Amino acid sequence: NTGWREVMIDIDNSYLKFVLSRSPTPASIAYTKLLPENITEGEVCPEALVLVEEIAQRLKHYGGTALLADYGHKDIKYFTLRGFKDHKECHILSEPGKMDITADVNFKMIEDVVHSQGCSSHGPITQNEFLHKMGIRQRIEVLLKSASPGQAKGLIASYELLTSPEEMGERFKFLAITKSNNHIPTPFY
């Protein structure tokens, strides 16, 4: 066992490729402390953890609620980094600078940071659950009463896109952060 390695990008005959660092890097040493001991691969987004720490500190001082929404999961997933171009997933090294790059949020790490600041987390829950608890079905029903046939078709298609498990309904998650458990935001009961 030679320790943790950072995945880096190299160039080979004008093509980009992923490679492992030859030895532990400062990043792999620092960030792997945030990962569970029993795994062999993991992703860490240090900027997100710093941002969440700042949000939690502000909530602790001023009160209020923060709502985070993103693609994500509450368990360890491996290599969720991916590229999108023209609404289609593509290899992230295929066309640098010409696509959107994203990775899933690890909500467990987010919760750990929130709790380390003495705040409470609620969720994560799926977008489907969040929107239904916030009344999306009732709102669609009201809008459909006065919608033209074309508008109704668009409303129904949008509702399906946002709530269907096959679309965005299960992929997006919502997490609320509060100063304490004394206030649980409505959709997180």
Side-chain angles (χ1 to χ4, degrees):
N1 183 1
T2 56
W4 283 91
R5 299 289 184 266
E6 186 174 359
V7 176
M8 305 178 101
I9 299 173
D10 196 2
I11 191 162
D12 184 22
N13 295 325
S14 299
Y15 292 99
L16 297 176
K17 66 178 184 175
F18 289 111
V19 296
L20 289 177
S21 62
R22 291 188 179 126
S23 59
T25 63
S28 70
I29 293 167
Y31 300 134
T32 53
K33 294 174 185 171
L34 301 172
L35 298 170
E37 292 180 16
N38 60 343
I39 66 167
T40 59
E41 293 180 16
E43 293 177 335
V44 177
C45 180
E47 292 86 0
L49 301 178
V50 169
L51 178 62
V52 168
E53 183 177 56
E54 184 176 325
I55 290 168
Q57 289 171 353
R58 288 182 184 202
L59 290 171
K60 190 72 174 172
H61 188 264
Y62 299 107
T65 301
L67 181 64
L68 309 180
D70 210 333
Y71 290 106
H73 48 86
K74 195 172 174 171
D75 52 354
I76 299 296
K77 300 280 184 188
Y78 302 109
F79 210 76
T80 65
L81 186 67
R82 57 202 180 277
F84 284 93
K85 183 176 181 182
D86 301 323
H87 305 286
K88 294 184 177 146
E89 193 169 335
C90 53
H91 193 281
I92 64 169
L93 300 180
S94 63
E95 296 182 73
K98 296 181 181 178
M99 69 182 71
D100 293 326
I101 297 176
T102 189
D104 287 359
V105 170
N106 182 323
F107 283 104
K108 174 70 171 98
M109 283 187 184
I110 300 292
E111 287 178 316
D112 289 347
V113 170
V114 167
H115 300 156
S116 77
Q117 299 303 305
C119 290
S120 297
S121 62
H122 310 278
I125 60 175
T126 65
Q127 178 168 285
N128 180 352
E129 182 179 357
F130 179 86
L131 291 175
H132 279 96
K133 285 184 174 182
M134 294 299 290
I136 192 171
R137 186 180 312 272
Q138 294 83 352
R139 182 68 181 141
I140 289 289
E141 288 171 0
V142 168
L143 292 171
L144 288 173
K145 289 178 182 175
S146 61
S148 69
Q151 290 170 326
K153 184 178 179 181
L155 286 168
I156 292 168
S158 296
Y159 171 81
E160 287 296 321
L161 175 69
L162 293 171
T163 61
S164 170
E166 293 78 28
E167 297 289 343
M168 297 169 64
E170 298 293 322
R171 294 192 73 184
F172 269 90
K173 308 288 189 303
F174 285 72
L175 178 85
I177 306 169
T178 58
K179 182 176 179 175
S180 70
N181 271 327
N182 293 337
H183 170 70
I184 300 175
T186 299
F188 297 94
Y189 293 143

